[in-house]
Amino acid sequence: MAWTKYQLFLAGLMLVTGSINTLSAKWADNFVAPGCGGSKEHSFQHPFLQAVGMFLGEFSCLAAFYLLRCRAARHPEGSMDPQQPFNPLLFLPPALCDMTGTSIMYVALNMTSASSFQMLRGAVIIFTGLFSVAFLGRRLALSQWLGILATIAGLVVVGLADLLSKHDDQHKLSEVITGDLLIIMAQIIVSIQMVLEEKFVYRHNVHPLRAVGTEGLFGFVILSLLLVPMYYIPAGSFSGNPRGTLEDTLDAFCQVGRQPLIALALLGNISSIAFFNFAGISVTKELSATTRMVLDSLRTIVIWALSLALGWEAFHPLQILGFLILLMGTALYNGLHRPLLARLSRGRPPAEEGEHERLLGGSRTPINDAS
C-alpha cells in the first residue's frame, strides 16, 4: 500500500527531528567559548543544563495534547478516547528514571562519539527484556532471546571499534571507554522506566503526548532545582567547567552570551525532542510500530553519516559490522522477521492489526523514546 503525503511527512519529520536531537546536543559540546569572570575558552560541557532543556521540550508536548483535545472537541466525529482520571504522581517514578538516565547520557555524549552514543543505546533491549521477565511475568519468545544475544554481540563489536579508533585530545581513550559504559548504565535506568510505565501507567489509558508532557514537567522542575546544589558539588574529572563542579549554569549562560550559536544548538535540542515525540506517536498510529523502529534505525545512519562528514569522528569499519548486528538484534526482538517470513511464505503482505495506535488512545510503545 502506497504511503500518503501525510504519512511521508510524519516519517520524514521523525527521521529529521530525531537526528537533530542528538546532533544538536553534540554540536553544542563542540563549541569553545570563554565563561564568566574572564575565564579561558573551554568547551561547552553542561550536560545537566542540556537535560533541563530536553525536559522543557518534553513538557511542551502537553500543549500539543491540549490542542489535539480542543480540536477533537470541536469535531465530535473525530476519534477521541475519553481520558480516565489519574493521579499525576504516577508519573513521578518513571520521570525520576528518565531524569537520571537522560542526565547520564548527556554526560556520556561529552565523552564519546555521536554514532557510538546512538548505537549503544540499543542496549535498552537487553535490560528491558530481562526486567519484563523478572517484574512483569512476561515470557520471551525464542526470537527475542536471540535478539538479546545479537544485541550483546553488537555492543561488543561497537565497543571494540571505539577501542581501536584513533582518539584526539578532546576524546581520549579512557574518556571514550567511560562514556560507552555510562551509556550502557543509563539504559538500565531507561529499562526500569519502561517497566514502571507499563506496570503503573498504561492501565490508565493516558495519551502518550500527555504522558511525555507530564514526565517532562516533573523532570524540568526537579532537575532545575537540582542545578543549585550541583553548582557547589565538586565533580573532579567528570566536570567540564572551570570551577570543577557537577554543573555551572552561570558559566553556561556566559558562554551562550559570547557564542550565540550555542543558543541555536540548544534551541534545536529543545524543539526537536517535542516534534520527535509527536512524530513517533503519529507514525505508530498512521503506519505501524515496525515502521517506527525502522525509522529509528535509519536515524542512527543519518547521525553517523553527518558526524563523519562534519569531521566529528573517524571512520572504523568495525562500526558497520556492529551496527548491522545491532540492527539484526533489534529486528529479532521486535518481531520484524515475522512479516518478512509471512511475505515469503504467503506471497502477500501480512495484516498489521494491533500495530496501529489511536492518536488519542493508549500506547504500547515506550512513552519517551528519545531521552
Side-chain angles (χ1 to χ4, degrees):
M1 183 180 66
W3 286 9
T4 65
K5 291 182 179 179
Y6 179 62
Q7 290 171 336
L8 287 172
F9 167 75
L10 289 175
L13 183 65
M14 179 181 170
L15 184 61
V16 171
T17 54
S19 302
I20 289 175
N21 182 250
T22 300
L23 291 171
S24 60
K26 192 63 180 178
W27 186 35
D29 297 339
N30 289 333
F31 281 110
V32 176
C36 299
S39 62
K40 295 181 180 180
E41 289 188 344
H42 54 279
S43 299
F44 185 86
Q45 294 188 12
H46 299 279
F48 296 99
L49 183 65
Q50 287 178 291
V52 169
M54 194 211 73
F55 284 117
L56 179 60
E58 288 187 8
F59 179 34
S60 66
C61 289
L62 271 180
F65 166 74
Y66 285 114
L67 285 174
L68 286 172
R69 195 165 73 169
C70 290
R71 179 184 176 187
R74 290 196 302 267
H75 301 85
E77 69 278 2
S79 60
M80 177 180 177
D81 289 348
Q83 295 293 298
Q84 301 174 354
F86 68 97
N87 186 352
L89 290 178
L90 280 173
F91 290 96
L92 183 57
L96 291 174
C97 292
D98 191 10
M99 181 186 71
T100 307
T102 299
S103 299
I104 292 175
M105 283 191 281
Y106 273 116
V107 172
L109 187 57
N110 289 331
M111 300 179 173
T112 190
S113 64
S115 63
S116 294
F117 169 82
Q118 194 66 32
M119 291 182 194
L120 291 173
R121 289 178 63 187
V124 71
I125 286 176
I126 302 170
F127 305 110
T128 302
L130 296 178
F131 290 159
S132 65
V133 170
F135 301 110
L136 299 179
R138 183 168 298 161
R139 296 184 63 181
L140 298 182
L142 175 61
S143 61
Q144 291 178 306
W145 286 113
L146 291 175
I148 289 175
L149 293 176
T151 301
I152 294 173
L155 293 174
V156 171
V157 174
V158 171
L160 186 60
D162 280 343
L163 287 175
L164 299 177
S165 296
K166 296 179 180 179
H167 305 285
D168 51 24
D169 294 335
Q170 185 180 2
H171 294 115
K172 298 178 181 179
L173 178 59
S174 59
E175 289 187 354
V176 171
I177 295 174
T178 304
D180 289 352
L181 292 176
L182 285 175
I183 295 170
I184 295 175
M185 184 189 306
Q187 302 319 302
I188 300 176
I189 302 173
V190 172
S191 301
I192 296 173
Q193 174 195 346
M194 292 181 180
V195 171
L196 288 173
E197 287 172 347
E198 181 157 347
K199 191 172 183 64
F200 299 110
V201 176
Y202 286 141
R203 68 178 64 172
H204 292 276
N205 191 28
V206 182
H207 180 260
L209 282 178
R210 191 177 189 181
V212 170
T214 305
E215 287 188 11
L217 173 61
F218 281 124
F220 176 74
V221 172
I222 295 172
L223 196 53
S224 295
L225 294 175
L226 289 177
L227 290 179
V228 176
M230 286 180 183
Y231 183 80
Y232 300 99
I233 298 174
S237 59
F238 280 96
S239 174
N241 58 74
R243 295 180 61 252
T245 56
L246 266 180
E247 186 59 277
D248 190 341
T249 307
L250 295 179
D251 180 72
F253 286 126
C254 289
Q255 286 188 288
V256 171
R258 290 172 170 82
Q259 176 53 271
L261 285 178
I262 298 177
L264 181 62
L266 295 177
L267 182 62
N269 189 38
I270 294 171
S271 57
S272 62
I273 190 65
F275 284 105
F276 176 73
N277 276 294
F278 174 76
I281 292 166
S282 300
V283 163
T284 308
K285 175 227 174 211
E286 293 287 337
L287 297 165
S288 69
T290 300
T291 304
R292 183 175 181 175
M293 186 205 73
V294 172
L295 289 173
D296 202 50
S297 300
L298 289 176
R299 177 166 66 118
T300 302
I301 299 176
V302 172
I303 292 170
W304 189 13
L306 288 176
S307 296
L308 290 172
L310 294 170
W312 290 355
E313 58 183 273
F315 173 77
H316 198 287
L318 269 181
Q319 279 192 310
I320 296 179
L321 177 62
F323 173 72
L324 291 176
I325 297 175
L326 285 171
L327 189 62
M328 181 179 66
T330 304
L332 285 171
Y333 187 86
N334 288 280
L336 186 59
H337 63 289
R338 294 193 189 99
L340 292 177
L341 291 176
R343 285 176 184 269
L344 292 175
S345 61
R346 301 175 187 174
R348 58 184 177 84
E352 294 183 346
E353 183 180 358
E355 274 196 306
H356 290 70
E357 173 183 89
R358 297 184 298 274
L359 191 56
L360 283 170
S363 169
R364 282 293 169 187
T365 55
I367 285 178
N368 180 5
D369 201 25
S371 11

